[in-house]
Amino acid sequence: MTIYSKRSWCIYLFMILVIAACSKEDQAPPKPTIAAADFTPQSNAAAAIPVSWYQLEFKLIKETPGFSPPVAARALAYTGVALHEAVVWSDRYGHSLSGQLDGLSNVPRPQWGKKYNWEIAANSAMADIIRSLYPNASAANLALIAALDSTNKAAASGSCGADEVNRSVNFGKQVAAAIYTWSTTDGGKDGYLNNFPTDYVPPVGPGFWVPTPPAFQRALLPYWGNNRLMVRPSTPETAGIAHPAFSTDTASAFYKAAYFVYNKVNTLTPEENTIARYWADGGGTFTPPGHMLAITAQLVTDNGLSLTQAAKLFAQAGIGENDAAIVCWKYKYKYNLLRPVSYIQTYIAAGWTSLIGTPPFPAYTSGHATFTSAAGTILEDYFGSLSFTDNQKVADGFSPRSFNGFQQMIDEASISRIYGGIHYQFDSQVGVQTGRDIALRVLSLRY
């Protein structure tokens, strides 16, 4: 090696060390000193700041009008991408998602040779993207966003100078602005304002979806399947896996599938009843995608993931849920299949009711199965055959549910919809397959 090359290499190493000097990626942030409701980081884990934002976002999903499951999945995805892009440059082996996600380009990069506090950058990006994604949040919840932003910034600043803090805040804001601008072109920007478009006219005839009890609402988000996927498939998504042919013949596969639901709901064990209610995640909850991201946040904390590790996992899980919603809703409105309650009341037992209220959109395929399979496959890729306990519904009066692996969670969430009386078995079976396919696309990217 020449003297010149040795000197160049030393300069290069020095510059790398300068950039990383104030990154506390592998250090515990100081405990926060300013209270912000229940969303202040509760531990010294390196990923406490992003976890605190997701905890607040779950509250926003519950309390902000219009955040149905697909809309919630979309918001969670853009939150995760903004987080990832705000901290990816702290990892010399990291890869930006710019140029990998469909339509995403020119995401800001940090200035070469300048110091950044990556926790502050993450906090700033998440605060701004969440403000943008929940424009109709209540005044009280907007105040919580501002309080958590301030609390996390104070907790992460430590001994960093004002210039570094400001630089990190501004970088996070620049990233959030770029991600939000990209989000406005996906077709779903105003979904929260118009979940039930009045211009949609569903097809009419035997086997087609009709509004269902108890609310008999119009079809929810019938055009959502036209939105842009974040991960473009290698071949166009055609939603071409057909369900069994509709039939009222008692010997047909379709009649038998409907009768299975009818009989199962009528003979549920106490445990099956609990499973159906546990996974319901309907109106007023954090939705199925929110449930999956809540489990992700719990596992991030329980397993002590670093900031960049958490950012990667949150981005993957969010992208998976977003694309799961789009593909699932494309199936739903391609086939417009009637729900079990409609079939059973017409052809099996007129007075029959499902255990869980049927949501206002077609049956095929199951959103729960698709969402859970997409997220569960991603989590299994990261954690392997991990046994874990889901504590996310304790506040709703449920006992924690333990699983010996993510496949068991997928299977339970999927069959819960049959126990609830709102899906056929083939809805869930194909939903699981679809979710897994989406997860594999997401996992094929570089992070």
Side-chain angles (χ1 to χ4, degrees):
M1 180 179 292
T2 65
I3 293 176
Y4 179 79
S5 62
K6 288 181 178 177
R7 181 177 301 164
S8 299
W9 180 242
C10 290
I11 292 172
Y12 173 77
L13 288 177
F14 174 75
M15 295 300 290
I16 292 293
L17 291 172
V18 167
I19 293 174
C22 199
S23 169
K24 296 188 285 294
E25 169 72 14
D26 298 317
Q27 301 176 19
K31 291 183 178 180
T33 57
I34 304 175
D38 296 326
F39 310 105
T40 299
Q42 296 299 309
S43 73
N44 285 338
I49 283 176
V51 167
S52 72
W53 279 112
Y54 278 102
Q55 290 170 342
L56 177 52
E57 191 164 10
F58 304 144
K59 176 178 172 67
L60 292 172
I61 291 170
K62 292 178 182 180
E63 299 178 4
T64 308
F67 277 76
S68 57
V71 178
R74 178 183 180 273
L76 291 164
Y78 286 112
T79 300
V81 174
L83 168 62
H84 180 273
E85 295 302 296
V87 305
V88 66
W89 300 106
S90 69
D91 180 1
R92 62 182 297 184
Y93 300 109
H95 295 277
S96 171
L97 293 169
S98 180
Q100 297 192 78
L101 298 180
D102 195 5
L104 180 62
S105 61
N106 301 317
V107 179
R109 297 189 179 196
Q111 300 177 57
W112 177 256
K114 298 291 187 178
K115 291 182 179 180
Y116 288 84
N117 180 307
W118 300 109
E119 293 173 34
I120 293 176
N123 179 66
S124 178
M126 296 186 78
D128 272 28
I129 194 69
I130 287 174
R131 284 190 190 96
S132 297
L133 292 168
Y134 297 85
N136 60 329
S138 67
N141 282 338
L142 289 174
L144 286 179
I145 293 173
L148 185 59
D149 185 8
S150 176
T151 297
N152 284 344
K153 177 182 171 183
S157 294
S159 59
C160 292
D163 287 347
E164 182 182 347
V165 171
N166 292 335
R167 185 182 305 116
S168 303
V169 168
N170 290 335
F171 178 63
K173 287 179 174 293
Q174 292 165 9
V175 168
I179 300 306
Y180 180 71
T181 298
W182 170 57
S183 79
T184 63
T185 62
D186 70 353
K189 173 179 175 291
D190 297 323
Y192 70 96
L193 294 173
N194 194 18
N195 274 269
F196 302 97
T198 57
D199 63 348
Y200 176 72
V201 180
V204 176
F208 286 126
W209 176 83
V210 293
T212 54
F216 295 97
Q217 292 172 289
R218 298 181 63 89
L220 183 142
L221 297 172
Y223 308 121
W224 199 261
N226 298 327
N227 288 355
R228 178 185 63 205
L229 293 165
M230 286 190 169
V231 185
R232 182 184 295 177
S234 56
T235 57
E237 181 61 62
T238 59
I241 305 175
H243 57 75
F246 174 80
S247 175
T248 61
D249 186 337
T250 58
S252 68
F254 200 98
Y255 184 95
K256 290 177 180 178
Y259 192 87
F260 180 87
V261 177
Y262 165 75
N263 186 60
K264 173 53 69 176
V265 172
N266 292 346
T267 59
L268 289 175
T269 67
E271 174 66 2
E272 289 169 341
N273 184 291
T274 296
I275 289 171
R277 292 183 297 104
Y278 185 85
W279 291 102
D281 290 337
T285 72
F286 51 13
T287 74
H291 196 162
M292 289 299 99
L293 267 294
I295 290 173
T296 302
Q298 178 189 318
L299 294 173
V300 163
T301 300
D302 291 348
N303 292 277
L305 269 62
S306 70
L307 181 60
T308 53
Q309 288 171 333
K312 171 183 174 179
L313 189 59
F314 279 129
Q316 289 177 324
I319 294 166
E321 296 301 89
N322 176 79
D323 285 9
I326 294 171
V327 174
C328 181
W329 256 246
K330 182 175 288 189
Y331 277 86
K332 285 183 180 297
Y333 290 100
K334 175 183 175 68
Y335 295 104
N336 272 287
L337 185 65
L338 83 171
R339 288 280 185 165
V341 67
S342 302
Y343 187 98
I344 293 168
Q345 287 184 351
T346 304
Y347 302 109
I348 299 176
W352 186 86
T353 58
S354 57
L355 175 66
I356 303 298
T358 300
F361 39 85
Y364 185 77
T365 60
S366 165
H368 270 62
T370 310
F371 288 130
T372 311
S373 180
T377 301
I378 288 166
L379 293 173
E380 185 176 50
D381 179 79
Y382 191 92
F383 291 107
S385 55
L386 177 73
S387 296
F388 67 98
T389 298
D390 175 13
N391 298 315
Q392 298 309 313
K393 303 291 285 288
V394 172
D396 298 321
F398 291 97
S399 298
R401 294 199 66 81
S402 296
F403 303 98
N404 58 23
F406 295 101
Q407 188 59 53
Q408 185 184 16
M409 177 192 74
I410 293 169
D411 293 343
E412 181 175 290
S414 299
I415 202 168
S416 74
R417 309 308 272 171
I418 291 92
Y419 295 163
I422 64 175
H423 273 296
Y424 310 99
Q425 283 184 298
F426 52 76
D427 294 343
S428 291
Q429 290 165 349
V430 178
V432 168
Q433 177 183 339
T434 305
R436 184 177 297 112
D437 291 343
I438 291 166
L440 294 177
R441 295 179 197 167
V442 175
L443 294 170
S444 71
L445 303 180
R446 298 184 300 168
Y447 294 87

PDB file of all heavy atoms in Angstrom, residues 20-45:
ATOM      1  N   ALA A  20     -20.711   9.437  12.815  1.00  0.00           N
ATOM      2  CA  ALA A  20     -21.364   8.561  13.799  1.00  0.00           C
ATOM      3  C   ALA A  20     -21.179   9.014  15.232  1.00  0.00           C
ATOM      4  O   ALA A  20     -21.762   8.447  16.136  1.00  0.00           O
ATOM      5  CB  ALA A  20     -20.833   7.133  13.647  1.00  0.00           C
ATOM      6  N   ALA A  21     -20.356  10.052  15.440  1.00  0.00           N
ATOM      7  CA  ALA A  21     -19.914  10.370  16.790  1.00  0.00           C
ATOM      8  C   ALA A  21     -21.058  10.601  17.766  1.00  0.00           C
ATOM      9  O   ALA A  21     -21.030  10.144  18.894  1.00  0.00           O
ATOM     10  CB  ALA A  21     -19.020  11.621  16.768  1.00  0.00           C
ATOM     11  N   CYS A  22     -22.077  11.328  17.296  1.00  0.00           N
ATOM     12  CA  CYS A  22     -23.149  11.650  18.226  1.00  0.00           C
ATOM     13  C   CYS A  22     -24.354  10.742  18.081  1.00  0.00           C
ATOM     14  O   CYS A  22     -25.362  10.945  18.727  1.00  0.00           O
ATOM     15  CB  CYS A  22     -23.572  13.104  18.049  1.00  0.00           C
ATOM     16  SG  CYS A  22     -24.485  13.753  19.461  1.00  0.00           S
ATOM     17  N   SER A  23     -24.258   9.749  17.203  1.00  0.00           N
ATOM     18  CA  SER A  23     -25.359   8.797  17.094  1.00  0.00           C
ATOM     19  C   SER A  23     -25.333   7.880  18.302  1.00  0.00           C
ATOM     20  O   SER A  23     -24.334   7.221  18.563  1.00  0.00           O
ATOM     21  CB  SER A  23     -25.215   7.972  15.818  1.00  0.00           C
ATOM     22  OG  SER A  23     -26.123   6.916  15.849  1.00  0.00           O
ATOM     23  N   LYS A  24     -26.435   7.817  19.010  1.00  0.00           N
ATOM     24  CA  LYS A  24     -26.477   6.971  20.204  1.00  0.00           C
ATOM     25  C   LYS A  24     -27.185   5.679  19.915  1.00  0.00           C
ATOM     26  O   LYS A  24     -27.934   5.146  20.721  1.00  0.00           O
ATOM     27  CB  LYS A  24     -27.167   7.747  21.330  1.00  0.00           C
ATOM     28  CG  LYS A  24     -26.392   8.980  21.756  1.00  0.00           C
ATOM     29  CD  LYS A  24     -26.977   9.611  22.985  1.00  0.00           C
ATOM     30  CE  LYS A  24     -28.233  10.365  22.693  1.00  0.00           C
ATOM     31  NZ  LYS A  24     -28.067  11.522  21.851  1.00  0.00           N
ATOM     32  N   GLU A  25     -26.958   5.145  18.726  1.00  0.00           N
ATOM     33  CA  GLU A  25     -27.631   3.923  18.268  1.00  0.00           C
ATOM     34  C   GLU A  25     -27.494   2.796  19.264  1.00  0.00           C
ATOM     35  O   GLU A  25     -28.424   2.052  19.506  1.00  0.00           O
ATOM     36  CB  GLU A  25     -27.023   3.522  16.916  1.00  0.00           C
ATOM     37  CG  GLU A  25     -27.414   2.170  16.423  1.00  0.00           C
ATOM     38  CD  GLU A  25     -28.859   2.162  15.972  1.00  0.00           C
ATOM     39  OE1 GLU A  25     -29.441   3.222  15.796  1.00  0.00           O
ATOM     40  OE2 GLU A  25     -29.400   1.062  15.826  1.00  0.00           O
ATOM     41  N   ASP A  26     -26.324   2.640  19.840  1.00  0.00           N
ATOM     42  CA  ASP A  26     -26.105   1.509  20.739  1.00  0.00           C
ATOM     43  C   ASP A  26     -26.088   1.948  22.195  1.00  0.00           C
ATOM     44  O   ASP A  26     -25.631   1.225  23.061  1.00  0.00           O
ATOM     45  CB  ASP A  26     -24.792   0.802  20.380  1.00  0.00           C
ATOM     46  CG  ASP A  26     -24.830   0.222  18.976  1.00  0.00           C
ATOM     47  OD1 ASP A  26     -25.870  -0.367  18.636  1.00  0.00           O
ATOM     48  OD2 ASP A  26     -23.847   0.380  18.233  1.00  0.00           O
ATOM     49  N   GLN A  27     -26.566   3.176  22.463  1.00  0.00           N
ATOM     50  CA  GLN A  27     -26.596   3.646  23.828  1.00  0.00           C
ATOM     51  C   GLN A  27     -28.047   3.838  24.246  1.00  0.00           C
ATOM     52  O   GLN A  27     -28.918   4.061  23.421  1.00  0.00           O
ATOM     53  CB  GLN A  27     -25.863   4.989  23.950  1.00  0.00           C
ATOM     54  CG  GLN A  27     -24.401   4.918  23.500  1.00  0.00           C
ATOM     55  CD  GLN A  27     -23.746   6.284  23.544  1.00  0.00           C
ATOM     56  OE1 GLN A  27     -24.241   7.180  24.218  1.00  0.00           O
ATOM     57  NE2 GLN A  27     -22.667   6.444  22.825  1.00  0.00           N
ATOM     58  N   ALA A  28     -28.288   3.776  25.524  1.00  0.00           N
ATOM     59  CA  ALA A  28     -29.639   4.011  26.021  1.00  0.00           C
ATOM     60  C   ALA A  28     -29.888   5.502  26.118  1.00  0.00           C
ATOM     61  O   ALA A  28     -29.082   6.233  26.675  1.00  0.00           O
ATOM     62  CB  ALA A  28     -29.805   3.372  27.404  1.00  0.00           C
ATOM     63  N   PRO A  29     -31.001   6.010  25.569  1.00  0.00           N
ATOM     64  CA  PRO A  29     -31.304   7.418  25.725  1.00  0.00           C
ATOM     65  C   PRO A  29     -31.654   7.727  27.172  1.00  0.00           C
ATOM     66  O   PRO A  29     -32.174   6.870  27.885  1.00  0.00           O
ATOM     67  CB  PRO A  29     -32.530   7.613  24.826  1.00  0.00           C
ATOM     68  CG  PRO A  29     -33.158   6.276  24.756  1.00  0.00           C
ATOM     69  CD  PRO A  29     -32.031   5.295  24.833  1.00  0.00           C
ATOM     70  N   PRO A  30     -31.371   8.938  27.637  1.00  0.00           N
ATOM     71  CA  PRO A  30     -31.749   9.278  29.008  1.00  0.00           C
ATOM     72  C   PRO A  30     -33.257   9.235  29.175  1.00  0.00           C
ATOM     73  O   PRO A  30     -34.001   9.452  28.228  1.00  0.00           O
ATOM     74  CB  PRO A  30     -31.217  10.717  29.161  1.00  0.00           C
ATOM     75  CG  PRO A  30     -31.092  11.242  27.768  1.00  0.00           C
ATOM     76  CD  PRO A  30     -30.749  10.049  26.922  1.00  0.00           C
ATOM     77  N   LYS A  31     -33.689   8.970  30.385  1.00  0.00           N
ATOM     78  CA  LYS A  31     -35.123   8.925  30.626  1.00  0.00           C
ATOM     79  C   LYS A  31     -35.720  10.303  30.401  1.00  0.00           C
ATOM     80  O   LYS A  31     -35.121  11.315  30.743  1.00  0.00           O
ATOM     81  CB  LYS A  31     -35.411   8.466  32.060  1.00  0.00           C
ATOM     82  CG  LYS A  31     -35.065   7.013  32.303  1.00  0.00           C
ATOM     83  CD  LYS A  31     -35.443   6.594  33.698  1.00  0.00           C
ATOM     84  CE  LYS A  31     -35.145   5.108  33.914  1.00  0.00           C
ATOM     85  NZ  LYS A  31     -35.506   4.669  35.261  1.00  0.00           N
ATOM     86  N   PRO A  32     -36.912  10.359  29.819  1.00  0.00           N
ATOM     87  CA  PRO A  32     -37.530  11.648  29.545  1.00  0.00           C
ATOM     88  C   PRO A  32     -37.889  12.380  30.829  1.00  0.00           C
ATOM     89  O   PRO A  32     -38.189  11.771  31.849  1.00  0.00           O
ATOM     90  CB  PRO A  32     -38.785  11.273  28.758  1.00  0.00           C
ATOM     91  CG  PRO A  32     -39.067   9.870  29.150  1.00  0.00           C
ATOM     92  CD  PRO A  32     -37.729   9.240  29.386  1.00  0.00           C
ATOM     93  N   THR A  33     -37.866  13.703  30.758  1.00  0.00           N
ATOM     94  CA  THR A  33     -38.174  14.496  31.945  1.00  0.00           C
ATOM     95  C   THR A  33     -39.485  15.252  31.799  1.00  0.00           C
ATOM     96  O   THR A  33     -39.928  15.889  32.736  1.00  0.00           O
ATOM     97  CB  THR A  33     -37.032  15.499  32.208  1.00  0.00           C
ATOM     98  OG1 THR A  33     -36.856  16.309  31.032  1.00  0.00           O
ATOM     99  CG2 THR A  33     -35.734  14.766  32.511  1.00  0.00           C
ATOM    100  N   ILE A  34     -40.099  15.210  30.587  1.00  0.00           N
ATOM    101  CA  ILE A  34     -41.356  15.924  30.355  1.00  0.00           C
ATOM    102  C   ILE A  34     -42.438  14.904  30.056  1.00  0.00           C
ATOM    103  O   ILE A  34     -42.285  14.086  29.163  1.00  0.00           O
ATOM    104  CB  ILE A  34     -41.221  16.904  29.182  1.00  0.00           C
ATOM    105  CG1 ILE A  34     -40.046  17.878  29.433  1.00  0.00           C
ATOM    106  CG2 ILE A  34     -42.507  17.670  28.961  1.00  0.00           C
ATOM    107  CD1 ILE A  34     -39.765  18.794  28.277  1.00  0.00           C
ATOM    108  N   ALA A  35     -43.522  14.939  30.787  1.00  0.00           N
ATOM    109  CA  ALA A  35     -44.576  13.939  30.581  1.00  0.00           C
ATOM    110  C   ALA A  35     -45.358  14.249  29.319  1.00  0.00           C
ATOM    111  O   ALA A  35     -45.612  15.396  28.993  1.00  0.00           O
ATOM    112  CB  ALA A  35     -45.511  13.920  31.791  1.00  0.00           C
ATOM    113  N   ALA A  36     -45.753  13.183  28.609  1.00  0.00           N
ATOM    114  CA  ALA A  36     -46.613  13.335  27.420  1.00  0.00           C
ATOM    115  C   ALA A  36     -47.620  12.208  27.413  1.00  0.00           C
ATOM    116  O   ALA A  36     -47.455  11.208  26.750  1.00  0.00           O
ATOM    117  CB  ALA A  36     -45.787  13.317  26.148  1.00  0.00           C
ATOM    118  N   ALA A  37     -48.672  12.363  28.197  1.00  0.00           N
ATOM    119  CA  ALA A  37     -49.711  11.337  28.311  1.00  0.00           C
ATOM    120  C   ALA A  37     -49.084   9.985  28.606  1.00  0.00           C
ATOM    121  O   ALA A  37     -48.164   9.885  29.411  1.00  0.00           O
ATOM    122  CB  ALA A  37     -50.562  11.311  27.053  1.00  0.00           C
ATOM    123  N   ASP A  38     -49.591   8.932  27.957  1.00  0.00           N
ATOM    124  CA  ASP A  38     -49.087   7.589  28.204  1.00  0.00           C
ATOM    125  C   ASP A  38     -48.085   7.150  27.155  1.00  0.00           C
ATOM    126  O   ASP A  38     -47.756   5.980  27.076  1.00  0.00           O
ATOM    127  CB  ASP A  38     -50.250   6.597  28.235  1.00  0.00           C
ATOM    128  CG  ASP A  38     -51.192   6.863  29.378  1.00  0.00           C
ATOM    129  OD1 ASP A  38     -50.724   7.295  30.439  1.00  0.00           O
ATOM    130  OD2 ASP A  38     -52.395   6.626  29.191  1.00  0.00           O
ATOM    131  N   PHE A  39     -47.584   8.069  26.342  1.00  0.00           N
ATOM    132  CA  PHE A  39     -46.786   7.684  25.203  1.00  0.00           C
ATOM    133  C   PHE A  39     -45.310   8.011  25.384  1.00  0.00           C
ATOM    134  O   PHE A  39     -44.507   7.808  24.490  1.00  0.00           O
ATOM    135  CB  PHE A  39     -47.337   8.364  23.951  1.00  0.00           C
ATOM    136  CG  PHE A  39     -48.813   8.156  23.836  1.00  0.00           C
ATOM    137  CD1 PHE A  39     -49.691   9.171  24.127  1.00  0.00           C
ATOM    138  CD2 PHE A  39     -49.314   6.903  23.519  1.00  0.00           C
ATOM    139  CE1 PHE A  39     -51.057   8.962  24.071  1.00  0.00           C
ATOM    140  CE2 PHE A  39     -50.685   6.684  23.461  1.00  0.00           C
ATOM    141  CZ  PHE A  39     -51.554   7.713  23.731  1.00  0.00           C
ATOM    142  N   THR A  40     -44.946   8.547  26.537  1.00  0.00           N
ATOM    143  CA  THR A  40     -43.544   8.789  26.820  1.00  0.00           C
ATOM    144  C   THR A  40     -42.795   7.465  26.858  1.00  0.00           C
ATOM    145  O   THR A  40     -43.280   6.486  27.415  1.00  0.00           O
ATOM    146  CB  THR A  40     -43.407   9.488  28.186  1.00  0.00           C
ATOM    147  OG1 THR A  40     -44.078  10.733  28.123  1.00  0.00           O
ATOM    148  CG2 THR A  40     -41.948   9.701  28.539  1.00  0.00           C
ATOM    149  N   PRO A  41     -41.582   7.390  26.271  1.00  0.00           N
ATOM    150  CA  PRO A  41     -40.811   6.147  26.355  1.00  0.00           C
ATOM    151  C   PRO A  41     -40.670   5.681  27.802  1.00  0.00           C
ATOM    152  O   PRO A  41     -40.300   6.453  28.677  1.00  0.00           O
ATOM    153  CB  PRO A  41     -39.458   6.544  25.761  1.00  0.00           C
ATOM    154  CG  PRO A  41     -39.770   7.681  24.847  1.00  0.00           C
ATOM    155  CD  PRO A  41     -40.898   8.427  25.503  1.00  0.00           C
ATOM    156  N   GLN A  42     -40.990   4.440  28.054  1.00  0.00           N
ATOM    157  CA  GLN A  42     -41.012   3.909  29.411  1.00  0.00           C
ATOM    158  C   GLN A  42     -39.763   3.117  29.777  1.00  0.00           C
ATOM    159  O   GLN A  42     -39.671   2.577  30.853  1.00  0.00           O
ATOM    160  CB  GLN A  42     -42.245   3.017  29.580  1.00  0.00           C
ATOM    161  CG  GLN A  42     -43.564   3.773  29.441  1.00  0.00           C
ATOM    162  CD  GLN A  42     -43.713   4.858  30.488  1.00  0.00           C
ATOM    163  OE1 GLN A  42     -43.548   4.607  31.674  1.00  0.00           O
ATOM    164  NE2 GLN A  42     -43.990   6.075  30.038  1.00  0.00           N
ATOM    165  N   SER A  43     -38.821   3.018  28.852  1.00  0.00           N
ATOM    166  CA  SER A  43     -37.611   2.272  29.159  1.00  0.00           C
ATOM    167  C   SER A  43     -36.440   2.962  28.499  1.00  0.00           C
ATOM    168  O   SER A  43     -36.599   3.933  27.765  1.00  0.00           O
ATOM    169  CB  SER A  43     -37.723   0.831  28.627  1.00  0.00           C
ATOM    170  OG  SER A  43     -37.599   0.826  27.223  1.00  0.00           O
ATOM    171  N   ASN A  44     -35.243   2.478  28.780  1.00  0.00           N
ATOM    172  CA  ASN A  44     -34.045   3.040  28.175  1.00  0.00           C
ATOM    173  C   ASN A  44     -33.667   2.336  26.884  1.00  0.00           C
ATOM    174  O   ASN A  44     -32.553   2.493  26.394  1.00  0.00           O
ATOM    175  CB  ASN A  44     -32.874   2.960  29.164  1.00  0.00           C
ATOM    176  CG  ASN A  44     -33.017   4.008  30.262  1.00  0.00           C
ATOM    177  OD1 ASN A  44     -33.697   5.004  30.080  1.00  0.00           O
ATOM    178  ND2 ASN A  44     -32.366   3.771  31.387  1.00  0.00           N
ATOM    179  N   ALA A  45     -34.557   1.554  26.324  1.00  0.00           N
ATOM    180  CA  ALA A  45     -34.266   0.852  25.085  1.00  0.00           C
ATOM    181  C   ALA A  45     -34.013   1.859  23.974  1.00  0.00           C
ATOM    182  O   ALA A  45     -34.623   2.917  23.911  1.00  0.00           O
ATOM    183  CB  ALA A  45     -35.423  -0.061  24.711  1.00  0.00           C
TER     184      ALA A  45
END
